[in-house]
Each structure stands twice: as C-alpha cells, then as structure tokens.
Amino acid sequence: MFKILEKQMLNPVIAKMVIEAPRVAKAALPGQFLIVRDGEKGERIPLTISDSDPANGTVTVVIQLIGASTHRMVEDYNVGDCYADVVGPLGNPSDFVNMSPEELGAQRYVFIAGGLGTAPVYPQAKWLHDRGVAVDVIIGARTKDLLIYTEELGGACDNLYLCTDDGSVGFRGVGTAKLEQLVNEEGRKYTRCVAIGPMIMMKFAALTCGKLGIPVVVSMNSLMVDGTGMCGACRVSVGGETKFSCVDGPEFDGSLVDWDEAMRRSRQYKPEETAAMEKK
Amino acid sequence: MANKIPRVPVREQDPKVRAHNFEEVSYGYNKEEAMLEASRCLHCKKPLCVTGCPVNIRIPDFIEQVAGGDFDAAAAVIAMDSSLPAVCGRVCPQETQCEGKCILGVKGEPVAIGKLERFVADWQHGDQNTGAAPDGFSACSGAPIAAPNGHKVAVIGSGPAGLACASDLAKWGYQVHIFEALHKAGGVLAYGIPEFRLPKDKVLQKEIDAVKALGVTIETDVIVGRTVNIDELFDKEGYEAVFVGTGAGLPRFMGIPGENLSGVFSANEFLTRNNLMKAFRDDYMTPIHAGRKACVVGGGNVAMDAARTALRLGADTTIVYRRSEAELPARQEEVHHAKEEGIHFELLTNPVEILGDENGWVRGMKCIRMELGEPDASGRRSPVPVPGSEFIVECDTVIMSLGTSPNPLIAKTTPGLERTRKGGLVADESGATTREGIFAGGDAVTGAATVILAMGAGRKAASAIDAYIKGK
C-alpha cells in the first residue's frame, strides 16, 4: 500500500499527488514513469514522474481527470489514503543522464510543455539546470488558470516563457509559435528540444523543430498494461520500426514517430472508456 | 482385473453453457470417482509414468493411497516432489508426459493421473466439490519445516519456478523473499492462464498462500532491474543468493503490414487484461476489446486460451494456424474443448497482411493457404505458402499468439549475467548462471515451456542454492 501524503488541485482538471513509495523514489531518474493502480478493481495507469525525494521516500505525480479511472483516483483518494500499487520507475531515463560533462556543457536545451506534460518537464529541467546546462522552458495552456508548475519551473531554468491561447498571460499563441519567435526573431540557438504534452502538441513540436533544424525528443504517453514489455499495447512506429514505449522509450526522436498511428492507437479503448464514464 | 474398468470420465460444464461464462470447465473427480479411477493403476514394477514426469512424482505410490481412500497420505507423497499439484493437475500436458507413458495407454486408455493429482490437491485445499474438510492442510506445506538457518535468499518472479524454488528453500530454513513485478503473485498462472482452466481464488491463491505459510514473503510492485537491481540485493539488502525466475514475458509479432492497426493485440495483452485485471467482470475498471469477429493467430495453448476468452466475451472466434491439426502445439484437451465450445479453425493458413478501415481499425486479414513441405530443424514439416491462394478473412479483432521470449531487463542490468542467442539466461543443469550466487530456471532460461518444467527447474536451483550457501 502506498500512502498519499499531499494532494493539491493544480487547476480544475489536474491534481498533484505526493505518494510514499521509497523504492521508486530512490531509483527514479528524469524521464521515467511509474504505474499506479488505485485499488483492487482499478486500472493500471501510467504516469510520468514529476518529482522524487529519495531522502523522504516520496514521488510526485500529476493526474489529469480524463476517464472514469483517473476521476476515481483523484476524487476518491485524499491525504492519508493509500493507493494499492505504485510500481516503477519504468522506462529509460532521459538520454542526458548518461552524457559526459563535456557533452552536457555543449548543450542548450529548450523544453516545450503542454498540459499535464508540464509536470514531468520539471525534473528534467531541474536536473540540467542544477548542472549548469543552459535551459529554456516554454509552457503553454488555453488560458492562464490552466498553467501548472510555473513556480517550480521558474526556479529550474534560465528563461521561462508562458504561452496562452487567449493571451491572458505571456505570449498569445501556442508553444511552438513561441519557439519559432525565439529562434527566428531573437536569434536563440538550441542544440536540443524536448517536447512533452498531448500527442497533437508533440507532433507539431516535432514538425516545428524539423523546420528549425533542432533535434527533438518526445515522451510517448501510450496505452499500456504492465509497463515491462509484456503486453505490447504501447507499440509505436519510430523510423518505420515497431518499438515499445515502456521498455524502448518512453522518449524517442520526435522526427521519426508515426504520429497519426500513435494518436489513433491511443484512442483504441475510447468506446469502452466512454461507456465507463457514462456508468459513473 | 483392474484394467477392465474403463477410464472414469471427468464431469465438465456443458460446452454451450460454458461458452458464456468463466467458470472452470472441468469439475474434477469426486471421492468415489477418484478411488475408482485410482483402482485402474497396475502398479508396474518399473513405473514408466514416473520417468515421464519432469519432476518424477511417485505416481503409483500416491495413486495407491487414493485407491485406499487416504487422500492426506496421497498428498504427502505428491508433496515430496511437487509444490503446485492443484495447478499441475490442471495444466500439465499429461498426454505427452506421465499418461503418455502409462502401460494401460498402449491398448486402451491410460490412468487419468492428472485428474487424480488435481483431486488430491483440491481435497487438501478443502474444495467443496470434492467434499473435503474445509480446514485441510495444504499439500504444499505437507513437508516439515526446518528451523531458521539465518540465510537470506531473494527470488525474482512469483511464477511456478519462483514459487517452487522459494518453498523448498523455506522448508530448509532459509529466509526467502520473492520480488514480483506485477501487482499480484503467480506470474503466468495469474496473468496468462484463464480462470476457466485455473481458477484464481479457489486454486491459485491457495497454492500461493501455502507458500506464504512456509514463511516466504512476497513483495509485489518491484521490477528488479528498474526498482532495484541484483547488485543492490546482494550489497545493500543482504541476500546471499538470488534465483531468477522471470519467465518469458515478451510477446512476438509477425512483422506483417497492418500489425499496428487498432484492434490488433498480443495474446499477452488480451489475456492479462482479462485474467490479471479481470476485464470480464463488470465491477472491474479494465477495458477489453474482443469485437464481433476475432481471429487468433497461432496454435499453442496460449492461442486456445485467447480464443476461448474472446468467445466468452462474445466474439465469433477463429484460430488461424499455419500447419495442420496434427502439428497444433496446444494440448489435445484444450483443442477438444475449444472445438466443443464453437471455436472455428482455419488450418494450413497464414496471415500475410492485416487490413484496416478508414479509421485505422482492423476490418480483415489477408491470408494465404499453406501446405506442408520438408521437415524443419524441429522435426515438424515446415509450412510452405501455396502460390495464388490468398483470401480475406473478415474480422474486427486480431490476437497475435506466436509465442513469447524472455525479458532481457535483468541480464541487461546485471554485469556478468550472460544470455543465449535466443535471449534466455545461460544456466547449467543445476540452474547456476554465469555469475556467482545467481541462479535461474524456468522460461527465463529455456524460453516458453511448461509449468511443470519451470517448477522442476525452480526446485533444482533450490538444491543448488542450498549447496552454494552451505559451501561458502
């Protein structure tokens, strides 16, 4: 059993949970994810790790209220309650974790984050920023109230750019437009972009980066059951080869991902999910 | 003469009824049936059945006890060699093992050794159907437990190999801790084999509880190689030896066009959703898609399990297999049950492409007819496509059941642990790997095989671990 130590609604549809999971906290590295199952009858839900504290044995995840399971995981669980299962860390850490100091020193990173994907950008940006690597972060949302992790990210990068569709704060427009502006108008140079967010956002980030000539890494949030390579539900075509997001990823070269297939595959259980929501 | 009695048939759920539920197909013997069937054994001087059993259960001895009505004594005989009789009695391929060697089988029908083993185990577990006392002790804990010897052993994986290894070591006084990656113990017995062949609460959980009753602790949600690695188990957690029984969990795909269409699943995904995650039950959140018309590609036990599961979830289901019926790797009993339940078979048929509709969903499978050519390395005649014989099978779900291979995670994260070309861990007869103190057995070494072989390998490794620690 894994105790919930903190719960906070970051916006009306995204909750942050700090969970006691000492083994996961000790082993987690930036880029990895975990799987939570709320109770005996729950689904196994993959969630990207947004922070880990090995000393206190805690991990932080953010959960977006999308389907019946995520609603239940947030609405029915409060501080002091326990999730039945928290397993991880899963997937490979971000590639920069294995870079030499020389390699790292030569990098200039830009992150593009959208929605729920903003939270897992935090441990990555922080890891790089702590090591003196140049990091800019662009986060986007429909409107000001939906932006999350602005404070945390503010302290984990050189420049934080907020973008909103309605212009209620920061740049009016999407994150990729901000990136184009930074590169084309302000002459920023980036050696690498990491895009984490909804698949449609990552698809356009990959296209924009292609245009700008910036290598782009994306974090695939595919459907999965076990997270250890057993089920193959998370199959994704990367450069014409079938990969498993859980064990080969979750991070891939965004320019090689078959986005239309990935988006279609992520909707595979939509009818079942809709039925479950209606039953709720 | 005892052998004049015909083999006692086992009562089964009506195929028409069971095609719509997940209750166990076979009801098993009751006391009278078991005793009658047991009386058929000839008690051969050199019992071939014992040599046919991968763990050499003293079959005539336990059958003699059944015939005499002393089921506790029968259980004690089985427990000397097997840790999972209720499981093996149900899922072992007896027709090619013990029963395949039975002398009675030469002219007639062999003794129903598997059904008798199951009866004894169920009796021990206090099964209502067999009429046993509900407080019966477990067959597994039948052997006495030695005093704690102070040595710690880690077992990775709670499938048949891990459970068998752990229970032997625990009986000898070791402090054994099992790490399981999933949220429930049992490995393939929990995620792979369906409820209608191996009931989870009634049978599997009791076998696992029996292992726990020996003092073995099981920690779920730990993926060794990610959550913790083997070196940390040695250096930081104080284990003196490690047994790797991580099975063969990685699914194979065909590599044909259309395999990533929506509606194409691995048998692993499909079965895990239904068995481990109980998608068939309304009160569980797990989604599953069997569709209206399902095709299962493959001919092994897993293919039969996936097909019969899809059928029970409401799909008109067809098995597509590239060789002929004689080569089906599945147990005869499973093929027979599948046919009885109304599964269709497209034999000597191989998919060449999966076809999708405008939304990227499966709408059919382009297949080609096959004929059997020369025998291949496995001795089976290899299937060869018949030119120009392509045709389309309509379906909205495809389940790939082409076998599985071992997960490379532990080998990749443990220096000094070598793998074979096929992906299994390199291990000798005793289970010793290429790294001192690490032992392995079951599918993790051999690739996908049987429960009984995994159990046997787990027990051999337990002996090797005992010798290793005592010799240190």
Side-chain angles (χ1 to χ4, degrees):
Chain A
M1 299 298 266
F2 300 82
K3 200 174 188 177
I4 298 163
L5 302 178
E6 272 178 55
K7 173 184 173 178
Q8 187 193 347
M9 292 306 295
L10 299 180
N11 71 28
V13 291
I14 295 181
K16 171 179 152 181
M17 299 284 205
V18 178
I19 311 165
E20 197 173 58
R23 281 193 187 274
V24 186
K26 219 163 98 187
L29 287 167
Q32 292 186 299
F33 64 98
L34 49 73
I35 284 179
V36 175
R37 195 179 68 125
D38 65 332
E40 169 56 29
K41 291 171 182 174
E43 282 189 83
R44 294 170 64 95
I45 306 287
L47 298 165
T48 317
I49 300 168
S50 343
D51 205 0
S52 57
D53 181 344
N56 288 312
T58 63
V59 290
T60 305
V61 292
V62 291
I63 305 171
Q64 186 158 13
L65 300 168
I66 303 172
S69 288
T70 45
H71 272 274
R72 196 167 87 161
M73 283 169 68
V74 172
E75 287 160 6
D76 295 0
Y77 289 83
N78 292 303
V79 171
D81 294 338
C82 289
Y83 286 139
D85 304 279
V86 173
V87 61
L90 294 155
N92 300 301
S94 303
D95 58 357
F96 55 72
V97 168
N98 296 315
M99 282 185 192
S100 66
E102 294 73 36
E103 258 181 293
L104 273 176
Q107 304 293 329
R108 291 192 59 83
Y109 268 87
V110 62
F111 287 86
I112 303 184
L116 192 70
T118 311
V121 160
Y122 172 63
Q124 298 204 18
K126 187 171 140 215
W127 193 95
L128 291 163
H129 190 64
D130 285 351
R131 284 160 182 78
V133 182
V135 179
D136 287 355
V137 175
I138 302 169
I139 58 180
R142 228 169 46 241
T143 183
K144 186 179 167 219
D145 296 340
L146 294 179
L147 287 167
I148 61 168
Y149 266 70
T150 48
E151 220 168 283
E152 289 89 339
L153 279 166
C157 64
D158 301 306
N159 300 291
L160 176 67
Y161 303 101
L162 306 182
C163 309
T164 49
D165 294 354
D166 63 0
S168 49
V169 70
F171 177 84
R172 179 197 287 265
V174 293
T176 46
K178 180 68 195 175
L179 176 65
E180 284 189 275
Q181 188 211 42
L182 288 171
V183 173
N184 293 335
E185 293 171 26
E186 299 188 22
R188 296 290 176 82
K189 298 244 183 301
Y190 296 111
T191 58
R192 190 172 295 230
C193 173
V194 179
I196 309 181
M199 281 203 196
I200 187 78
M201 185 217 96
M202 294 194 284
K203 173 184 173 172
F204 283 102
L207 288 172
T208 304
C209 288
K211 238 171 27 189
L212 299 172
I214 306 171
V216 59
V217 170
V218 296
S219 178
M220 298 304 287
N221 47 346
S222 316
L223 290 175
M224 57 182 75
V225 181
D226 59 290
T228 64
M230 243 178 64
C231 78
C234 65
R235 305 200 292 289
V236 52
S237 295
V238 182
E241 264 182 72
T242 296
K243 300 278 183 190
F244 286 10
S245 292
C246 65
V247 289
D248 301 320
E251 297 191 339
F252 294 105
D253 179 341
S255 68
L256 299 177
V257 171
D258 181 339
W259 290 106
D260 295 339
E261 179 191 282
M263 282 187 270
R264 169 173 58 65
R265 288 188 58 80
S266 70
R267 290 191 298 266
Q268 235 175 143
Y269 289 101
K270 205 82 203 169
E272 286 82 3
E273 278 161 17
T274 310
M277 271 308 273
E278 278 162 8
K279 224 167 55 182
K280 210 175 139 322
Chain B
M1 277 289 284
N3 58 3
K4 290 284 162 61
I5 304 165
R7 177 164 158 136
V8 178
V10 72
R11 289 162 293 118
E12 289 175 348
Q13 238 199 105
D14 185 302
K16 284 196 195 71
V17 176
R18 71 179 194 241
H20 303 285
N21 69 45
F22 281 89
E23 302 293 313
E24 192 170 15
V25 169
S26 168
Y27 292 125
Y29 286 150
N30 62 26
K31 193 172 139 186
E32 290 73 27
E33 290 164 337
M35 288 172 72
L36 181 62
E37 179 62 20
S39 74
R40 295 178 65 227
C41 178
L42 298 178
H43 296 282
C44 305
K45 217 179 241 163
K46 284 186 186 156
L48 292 175
C49 52
V50 178
T51 64
C53 172
V55 298
N56 309 120
I57 291 174
R58 290 149 234 218
I59 293 165
D61 296 357
F62 99 74
I63 289 183
E64 188 178 359
Q65 299 298 342
V66 176
D70 191 346
F71 309 130
D72 289 345
V77 173
I78 297 175
M80 287 192 271
D81 301 293
S82 172
S83 337
L84 303 165
V87 175
C88 292
R90 286 173 165 83
V91 306
C92 257
Q94 289 102 6
E95 65 274 17
T96 59
Q97 298 181 352
C98 53
E99 294 181 24
K101 298 267 170 129
C102 177
I103 279 303
L104 283 183
V106 177
K107 282 190 180 155
E109 291 222 79
V111 175
I113 301 167
K115 298 289 184 284
L116 289 174
E117 183 187 23
R118 172 188 159 166
F119 166 78
V120 171
D122 287 357
W123 178 272
Q124 287 297 301
H125 286 324
D127 186 274
Q128 295 301 312
N129 192 46
T130 56
D135 57 347
F137 79 108
S138 154
C140 207
S141 54
I145 305 174
N149 64 16
H151 295 289
K152 272 175 81 177
V153 178
V155 169
I156 307 171
S158 63
L163 288 174
C165 183
S167 59
D168 270 6
L169 288 168
K171 283 177 199 168
W172 302 332
Y174 288 88
Q175 186 188 336
V176 187
H177 190 67
I178 302 183
F179 294 100
E180 167 56 46
L182 289 168
H183 58 260
K184 243 187 162 58
V188 72
L189 307 174
Y191 74 75
I193 302 180
E195 187 74 21
F196 55 81
R197 276 217 291 143
L198 180 64
K200 303 298 164 227
D201 292 341
K202 205 181 90 189
V203 179
L204 176 60
Q205 195 51 50
K206 287 188 180 166
E207 297 274 35
I208 293 167
D209 289 345
V211 175
K212 284 188 186 167
L214 297 169
V216 172
T217 46
I218 303 181
E219 185 176 355
T220 52
D221 297 326
V222 177
I223 300 167
V224 176
R226 288 271 187 240
T227 314
V228 65
N229 62 42
I230 289 187
D231 282 303
E232 289 168 327
L233 295 181
F234 281 126
D235 302 340
K236 296 193 182 145
E237 302 199 17
Y239 293 100
E240 293 167 68
V242 173
F243 174 74
V244 183
T246 46
L250 300 193
R252 291 202 189 101
F253 288 92
M254 294 186 78
I256 57 173
E259 223 167 4
N260 287 350
L261 286 165
S262 300
V264 183
F265 309 103
S266 72
N268 261 7
E269 175 183 356
F270 191 72
L271 289 171
T272 301
R273 285 181 183 278
N274 207 59
N275 301 337
L276 181 76
M277 309 287 298
K278 311 235 182 290
F280 68 96
R281 279 175 53 172
D282 276 346
D283 54 338
Y284 278 71
M285 305 289 283
T286 319
I288 195 163
H289 181 93
R292 282 185 302 279
K293 274 199 84 175
C295 278
V296 177
V297 183
N301 287 320
V302 176
M304 299 303 140
D305 287 346
R308 296 168 70 197
T309 298
L311 177 91
R312 282 160 169 76
L313 293 171
D316 181 23
T317 307
T318 304
I319 296 251
V320 176
Y321 177 59
R322 61 196 182 128
R323 302 181 204 244
S324 72
E325 177 151 2
E327 287 82 15
L328 279 170
R331 291 183 59 200
Q332 287 163 12
E333 181 175 297
E334 306 309 328
V335 176
H336 170 71
H337 281 156
K339 283 185 173 169
E340 272 188 340
E341 289 163 10
I343 304 281
H344 315 291
F345 284 77
E346 281 284 1
L347 299 166
L348 287 165
T349 302
N350 209 26
V352 289
E353 183 182 355
I354 301 167
L355 309 168
D357 65 14
E358 64 281 7
N359 298 316
W361 263 96
V362 172
R363 68 174 170 85
M365 221 165 43
K366 190 198 237 182
C367 296
I368 191 161
R369 294 290 184 201
M370 310 291 277
E371 57 191 6
L372 293 178
E374 295 300 309
D376 63 10
S378 72
R380 293 183 301 178
R381 292 173 66 192
S382 53
V384 194
V386 178
S389 66
E390 287 92 345
F391 66 105
I392 287 166
V393 181
E394 257 180 67
C395 58
D396 54 5
T397 301
V398 173
I399 300 167
M400 290 293 178
S401 179
L402 308 156
T404 52
S405 50
N407 196 318
L409 184 63
I410 287 196
K412 280 186 179 168
T413 54
T414 311
L417 211 52
E418 282 170 31
R419 284 194 296 157
T420 64
R421 258 186 52 242
K422 285 189 166 174
L425 290 172
V426 173
D428 69 14
E429 186 65 4
S430 76
T433 65
T434 50
R435 171 119 176 236
E436 190 191 325
I438 303 180
F439 298 79
D443 288 3
V445 171
T446 58
T450 60
V451 171
I452 187 89
L453 282 171
M455 195 189 84
R459 302 197 72 213
K460 266 189 199 149
S463 297
I465 289 170
D466 182 45
Y468 167 74
I469 289 179
K470 282 188 178 144
K472 267 212 297 193

